[in-house]
Amino acid sequence: MKQILIIILLLLIIPYSSAKTADSRNFPVNADSMFMLSLSALNGLNFTIEEMQSSSGYILFKTPSGASYLLMVSSYSDNLSNVKIIKESSNAALAEIQDIVYNAISNEINNIPKRAL
């Protein structure tokens, strides 16, 4: 009986936990490189960089539609960094911009030249 209750509970919890959008994403790059890769990705998407500060790791950018967003880069370890995107205004679309920017950053990471062995 206890196992059945646990299974039912899991079936109720899993759909709601996976429906959330990812507020941030980890990348296997150090924070300094991640900041530069983020700038490159935003530039490639034709977003306007309004303000940036590499020491604190933030970039304030605006989409062609006029919505403003804040991208923050933080370091977890030597080769792992986190990127988080926050919307500035309440009527701006967040999930779509996050997906677009995260995919552009992933493409930039894949374009980093690998050192030959």
Side-chain angles (χ1 to χ4, degrees):
M1 184 68 178
K2 187 175 183 180
Q3 292 176 341
I4 294 172
L5 289 175
I6 291 174
I7 291 172
I8 291 172
L9 184 63
L10 287 175
L11 290 174
L12 292 174
I13 292 175
I14 291 174
Y16 295 111
S17 65
S18 63
K20 293 182 180 178
T21 59
D23 288 338
S24 64
R25 190 167 294 171
N26 295 332
F27 294 97
V29 179
N30 65 30
D32 293 333
S33 298
M34 188 73 252
F35 184 81
M36 298 306 287
L37 289 168
S38 298
L39 280 174
S40 178
L42 293 173
N43 187 41
L45 292 169
N46 294 324
F47 292 164
T48 304
I49 308 294
E50 293 186 328
E51 185 178 336
M52 63 179 178
Q53 191 171 56
S54 60
S55 60
S56 59
Y58 79 85
I59 304 168
L60 185 62
F61 67 95
K62 189 177 277 191
T63 62
S65 65
S68 294
Y69 297 90
L70 177 68
L71 184 144
M72 296 179 292
V73 177
S74 57
S75 176
Y76 279 141
S77 66
D78 291 340
N79 290 325
L80 184 64
S81 59
N82 181 272
V83 175
K84 184 173 187 171
I85 300 172
I86 302 170
K87 62 183 175 178
E88 189 175 88
S89 60
S90 61
N91 60 353
L94 181 62
E96 295 85 11
I97 294 297
Q98 286 177 333
D99 289 340
I100 291 168
V101 173
Y102 292 151
N103 288 335
I105 290 171
S106 294
N107 290 339
E108 291 290 329
I109 289 173
N110 291 334
N111 290 333
I112 295 175
K114 306 292 184 218
R115 196 167 85 182
L117 297 176

